[in-house]
Amino acid sequence: MTEDRSVPGSLGKVQVVSEADLDKIAPRTNIVKPSFWTRCKSHMQCSHVTARSLLLKYIPVLHWLPRYPAREWILGDAVSGFSVGIVQLPQGLAYALLAGLPPVFGLYTSFYPVFIYFLLGTSRHISVGTFAVVCVMIGSVTESLAPNDNFMRGENVTFIDTVARDALRVELAMALAFLVGLFQIALCLIQFGFVVTYLSDPLVSGYTTASAVHVLVSQLKYLFGIRMSQKTQPLSLIYTIVNLFSRIAQTNIGTIVTSLVAIVVLLLMKYLNEKFVGKLFIPIPIELIMLIVSTGISYGIGSYEMFGIENVGEIPVGLKAPRLPDFSLFGEIVGNAFAIAVVGYGITISLGKVFATKHGYKVDSNQELIAIGVSNLVGSFFQCFAISASVSRSGVQESTGGNSQVASAIASFVVFVIILRAGELFQDLPKAVLAAIIVVNLKGMFKQFSEVGVLWKTNKIDLIVWMVTFAATILLNMDIGLAVAVAFSLLTIIFRTQLSNYAILGQVYDMGVYRDVSRCQQAHEVPGIKIFHSSSTVFYANAEQYTEALYQQCGLDVEKLIEKKIKAIKKRKRKEEKVMKKADKNNEPTKLVTGRDNIAFDHLDLGKLEYDTEEQNKEQDMTEGSIIVVPGHATNKETGGKNTLQSLGLEKPRFHSLILDFSAVNFVDTVCLKMLRQIYRNFAEIEVDVYLVGCNARVMTGLEDGKLFNEIITKSQVFPSIHDAVTYLTSDHDHISVSDIHGDRDTRL
């Protein structure tokens, strides 16, 4: 039922409704969810239409390929595909080295998983395959479980059995890819695509920047031509740097000259590509040119025999037969596999959403889990290592005119041809050139250091997340660093709820707008009403802090005032008993002392209660009929329920109504409900009405399920907005108390 109430200063009547009124006018209907068995039956039922829709959903290529606009897109996809394929060749060889594997396995990884993603992926522009961050995580596993020290051979332990070492590392990489794919598919089945939301942008930025530092340090031995083992435990980065400088005298001059020349040429040509990007039909494939030229020079002068420059070595031609991974290795790598699964998916979906937003289409996060998971799972049978989207290749694919995953299919075909025919041509390629390609491609990641200054100016907490993530990943290695970063990021969420902004709101120029009175000079408190706002959800972690802030903002020591009231009532009761005893002795008729209007007070030594007449009338106007008494407190039948603060000689609060703004609250728990009951009870004791406003449907359901509402605390005390509550209270205050709504029955707790 609605009520028309006049608002002072308004020309007409404003209609105000409470939640109790809304339940009658527009009641919410309960959503009846089907039972678990019913849902299972519906999923198990199969028809022609259902089978077709599932097929199109999980194999998206069947949906978009028949509708492919060949005339408009085929040229751009062809150019893009060949460009990405050319870039994929040197990156595949280089990133395999980063993963601690022979280079040819980078080519396998650039073919099989890429083609699988073409069939299952929903992003039109990302290029999947080898990626530096994932490769360095794989390298940390292969080099820790198959270190060089375990394969030293010879009488004086002078050489490394690279064949046995590489065989074990390939087995580890296969098992790792299998588990990564399995985890990603499992996460999809439980609709866990939202896991990436816990990897915030500052976290991902700090993590990838630290990963770039790991990649750079891991390639220093190839750039300097120093043979040394790689550590992967915490503080391994510092150990590697110290170990490298302790062996700096062993630097191979030919190798370091090759590295410097390659880095300078690559940086210069990439700068020219960026500067003339609008004038070039396709970017200059400097990495491919560098491979061909350096391989030719190395072969022509015999770089290994003459200068001791280490080459890639044998690259087998053709494809290998599929085989199962070694399941006995799973126990040692399961933790690393989960970390790689989350990081690889996080990079892929983040990059996919960037391009989807730019080009106006949607990426299915759960389908992306299936696509990349199946790519890893199938690839593991063909001796591939784990993949994710590549930032640099995705940029090439989009900038050269790629419109769909047809470009990825063409790129995988280019790699396929190289595997079949051209792979053996790069056997004399210096490893220093591959290391130079890896280091130069890290330039984009190192640019993320500039985000520190931006975060300093915009958000200090995000800056702390970035710094902690970076430091943890640098010091504790990739897997432990990621776990620490995620844990710290979640911890900051708890801190933010603990550091909520609490404020008293005031009305701005008699409008229905309310702002923090401490921050907005135009906002003024409504006389007799306190409006308390919290910027976050109230739950068990901050409920006590919420209550303390409420008392502080209201300028009241509520508990002390209640304690004084109890003491005053006890004192009055003792005096009444004395008067009654005295009357019995004198055989005088006894009268019950009921309040300040009782003439019996003339004979009591209660102290002088001095009240200015005008002030007394003003306080009486504010309190008359507005006392809320909530169930749970003992009634005082001896005094007829008239033990008011004023009659007891205690100072009353300067406001008669308290409005709690719950617009920022997303849910309520049992602690929040307990806190609300306590607030109602305490403020009722000091003669202040309490109202809730801004409760969404979820919060209202929580309040109902938690049995907050009863005959006394009703939905009539809950309003949709602050202005509704203020209008309700200011329209005709003498007749708008909660006690009036419930009649004259005893409403005390």
Side-chain angles (χ1 to χ4, degrees):
M1 181 176 179
T2 63
E3 297 183 33
D4 288 336
R5 302 200 181 270
S6 300
V7 184
S10 64
L11 298 176
K13 298 218 173 198
V14 179
Q15 202 171 47
V16 180
V17 292
S18 65
E19 286 292 337
D21 300 325
L22 286 174
D23 278 352
K24 298 174 183 177
I25 300 169
R28 294 192 306 270
T29 56
N30 293 326
I31 300 175
V32 180
K33 293 184 179 180
S35 64
F36 176 76
W37 176 244
T38 304
R39 292 199 302 271
C40 288
K41 284 175 64 179
S42 64
H43 286 303
M44 293 172 66
Q45 291 174 351
C46 188
S47 64
H48 173 73
V49 176
T50 305
R52 185 175 181 276
S53 64
L54 288 174
L55 197 63
L56 295 177
K57 178 181 178 182
Y58 292 112
I59 309 180
V61 69
L62 299 177
H63 175 73
W64 62 263
L65 193 58
R67 299 171 175 79
Y68 180 74
R71 289 186 178 181
E72 292 85 3
W73 286 6
I74 190 62
L75 180 60
D77 281 339
V79 172
S80 176
F82 280 110
S83 302
V84 172
I86 290 169
V87 174
Q88 194 120 321
L89 169 62
Q91 287 193 359
L93 295 171
Y95 289 158
L97 202 65
L98 188 59
L101 304 171
V104 69
F105 293 95
L107 296 181
Y108 298 154
T109 306
S110 300
F111 170 59
Y112 292 106
V114 175
F115 188 76
I116 296 296
Y117 185 84
F118 157 73
L119 301 174
L120 304 178
T122 60
S123 173
R124 294 186 352 222
H125 293 90
I126 64 173
S127 172
V128 300
T130 57
F131 183 55
V133 173
V134 173
C135 287
V136 77
M137 294 179 75
I138 297 168
S140 70
V141 177
T142 57
E143 293 184 7
S144 63
L145 297 180
N148 290 335
D149 296 343
N150 291 1
F151 299 92
M152 301 299 291
R153 302 290 185 265
E155 294 181 2
N156 297 321
V157 195
T158 54
F159 71 93
I160 302 172
D161 186 355
T162 56
V163 175
R165 181 201 66 185
D166 290 345
L168 179 56
R169 288 184 177 182
V170 169
E171 290 291 344
L172 285 167
M174 287 174 60
L176 202 58
F178 182 88
L179 278 180
V180 168
L182 212 59
F183 276 129
Q184 288 169 336
I185 293 171
L187 290 174
C188 172
L189 293 177
I190 60 174
Q191 300 291 299
F192 208 58
F194 67 90
V195 69
V196 74
T197 58
Y198 293 103
L199 304 179
S200 64
D201 287 346
L203 187 150
V204 172
S205 175
Y207 184 75
T208 52
T209 306
S211 302
V213 176
H214 273 283
V215 173
L216 174 62
V217 172
S218 70
Q219 296 307 295
L220 290 178
K221 61 182 179 181
Y222 298 113
L223 294 174
F224 285 87
I226 298 174
R227 292 194 175 187
M228 53 183 285
S229 60
Q230 189 87 9
K231 302 290 183 180
T232 56
Q233 69 268 24
L235 301 179
S236 61
L237 192 77
I238 297 173
Y239 168 83
T240 302
I241 294 173
V242 171
N243 195 17
L244 179 75
F245 280 101
S246 68
R247 303 187 183 193
I248 199 71
Q250 302 174 15
T251 301
N252 184 288
I253 302 300
T255 300
I256 198 168
V257 169
T258 302
S259 302
L260 288 173
V261 171
I263 289 173
V264 170
V265 173
L266 286 168
L267 286 173
L268 179 62
M269 295 307 297
K270 282 182 176 290
Y271 169 75
L272 294 175
N273 275 337
E274 292 174 2
K275 187 172 183 179
F276 299 104
V277 64
K279 298 179 181 179
L280 296 173
F281 182 63
I282 61 172
I284 299 171
I286 183 58
E287 292 170 331
L288 179 61
I289 295 172
M290 179 67 69
L291 289 188
I292 295 172
V293 171
S294 58
T295 302
I297 294 173
S298 176
Y299 176 77
I301 66 174
S303 61
Y304 181 72
E305 292 79 10
M306 185 173 292
F307 300 106
I309 300 174
E310 191 175 359
N311 295 329
V312 167
E314 182 183 358
I315 298 179
V317 175
L319 301 174
K320 293 193 174 184
R323 59 192 180 92
L324 290 173
D326 187 352
F327 299 116
S328 64
L329 299 173
F330 285 2
E332 298 178 87
I333 60 175
V334 62
N336 303 90
F338 185 78
I340 294 172
V342 173
V343 172
Y345 169 67
I347 293 168
T348 302
I349 192 63
S350 299
L351 201 57
K353 287 185 175 181
V354 168
F355 287 115
T357 302
K358 183 177 179 180
H359 293 277
Y361 63 92
K362 293 186 69 175
V363 172
D364 187 337
S365 58
N366 279 301
Q367 179 60 28
E368 286 297 296
L369 267 174
I370 289 182
I372 195 171
V374 173
S375 297
N376 281 317
L377 194 67
V378 173
S380 68
F381 300 131
F382 295 93
Q383 302 182 37
C384 301
F385 50 85
I387 64 158
S388 75
S390 166
V391 177
S392 59
R393 290 196 307 275
S394 298
V396 170
Q397 181 163 317
E398 190 243 2
S399 63
T400 53
N403 295 295
S404 70
Q405 282 299 319
V406 169
S408 294
I410 295 172
S412 66
F413 177 75
V414 172
V415 176
F416 175 67
V417 172
I418 294 170
I419 292 172
L420 289 182
R421 297 296 177 189
E424 60 184 350
L425 299 177
F426 296 100
Q427 292 183 162
D428 292 303
L429 173 66
K431 286 185 177 180
V433 174
L434 291 179
I437 291 173
I438 291 172
V439 170
V440 170
N441 280 317
L442 296 175
K443 185 179 71 170
M445 292 189 190
F446 284 124
K447 284 183 177 179
Q448 294 177 142
F449 277 113
S450 63
E451 293 185 14
V452 173
V454 176
L455 292 174
W456 174 262
K457 296 176 182 177
T458 56
N459 194 310
K460 298 294 192 299
I461 294 180
D462 282 346
L463 174 62
I464 294 172
V465 171
W466 196 101
M467 297 296 291
V468 169
T469 302
F470 180 82
T473 308
I474 289 291
L475 297 175
L476 302 177
N477 218 347
M478 304 287 291
D479 46 359
I480 302 175
L482 178 63
V484 170
V486 172
F488 183 79
S489 182
L490 294 176
L491 202 60
T492 60
I493 298 175
I494 298 174
F495 286 151
R496 292 187 196 201
T497 60
Q498 293 289 74
L499 299 174
S500 299
N501 180 41
Y502 300 108
I504 294 295
L505 305 185
Q507 193 172 21
V508 179
Y509 294 133
D510 294 331
M511 299 188 295
V513 179
Y514 296 85
R515 293 287 183 267
D516 183 353
V517 294
S518 65
R519 303 181 66 180
C520 180
Q521 295 180 355
Q522 292 75 22
H524 300 284
E525 290 187 50
V526 181
I529 300 173
K530 286 283 185 184
I531 306 170
F532 182 71
H533 171 79
S534 170
S535 61
S536 63
T537 294
V538 185
F539 64 115
Y540 70 92
N542 63 356
E544 184 177 352
Q545 186 180 14
Y546 180 92
T547 306
E548 292 174 357
L550 172 62
Y551 293 164
Q552 183 181 4
Q553 292 285 345
C554 289
L556 290 174
D557 190 340
V558 177
E559 293 177 351
K560 189 174 182 180
L561 189 56
I562 292 173
E563 185 180 351
K564 286 182 178 180
K565 181 179 177 181
I566 293 172
K567 288 181 178 178
I569 291 173
K570 289 181 178 178
K571 185 177 180 181
R572 169 178 286 182
K573 189 174 181 181
R574 287 196 299 270
K575 300 233 177 190
E576 290 173 2
E577 290 174 352
K578 287 182 181 179
V579 171
M580 293 177 72
K581 287 180 180 178
K582 186 176 179 181
D584 289 341
K585 288 180 180 179
N586 298 331
N587 293 323
E588 295 179 3
T590 59
K591 294 184 179 180
L592 186 64
V593 181
T594 58
R596 56 187 167 85
D597 295 328
N598 198 305
I599 59 171
F601 279 103
D602 295 336
H603 306 287
L604 294 177
D605 184 18
L606 295 177
K608 189 176 180 182
L609 303 178
E610 295 183 355
Y611 290 95
D612 181 82
T613 307
E614 182 180 348
E615 192 67 23
Q616 185 177 359
N617 293 337
K618 192 182 295 184
E619 289 184 355
Q620 191 170 356
D621 290 341
M622 289 175 59
T623 57
E624 192 69 35
S626 65
I627 301 172
I628 304 177
V629 187
V630 186
H633 275 217
T635 59
N636 190 349
K637 294 181 180 179
E638 293 84 357
T639 61
K642 292 185 180 180
N643 283 324
T644 64
L645 294 174
Q646 189 170 343
S647 70
L648 294 169
L650 300 174
E651 184 181 357
K652 287 185 58 176
R654 297 178 181 272
F655 56 96
H656 54 73
S657 298
L658 172 66
I659 297 174
L660 302 180
D661 180 14
F662 262 42
S663 57
V665 177
N666 295 318
F667 65 91
V668 293
D669 60 4
T670 54
V671 178
C672 179
L673 289 166
K674 183 179 179 181
M675 178 204 72
L676 285 174
R677 291 190 184 97
Q678 187 66 37
I679 289 173
Y680 271 93
R681 181 184 301 119
N682 287 352
F683 278 92
E685 285 291 337
I686 61 172
E687 303 164 22
V688 175
D689 298 351
V690 180
Y691 299 88
L692 287 177
V693 299
C695 300
N696 60 42
R698 184 181 181 188
V699 171
M700 284 301 300
T701 302
L703 296 177
E704 292 167 354
D705 294 344
K707 309 298 182 186
L708 178 71
F709 301 117
N710 49 44
E711 292 183 357
I712 310 307
I713 306 175
T714 70
K715 291 184 181 180
S716 299
Q717 296 163 254
V718 184
F719 290 87
S721 69
I722 296 174
H723 195 58
D724 282 321
V726 171
T727 304
Y728 178 80
L729 290 168
T730 57
S731 59
D732 189 8
H733 175 66
D734 286 341
H735 303 288
I736 325 169
S737 67
V738 178
S739 57
D740 287 336
I741 295 172
H742 305 309
D744 294 330
R745 63 176 177 272
D746 190 0
T747 61
R748 277 189 267 196
L749 211 92

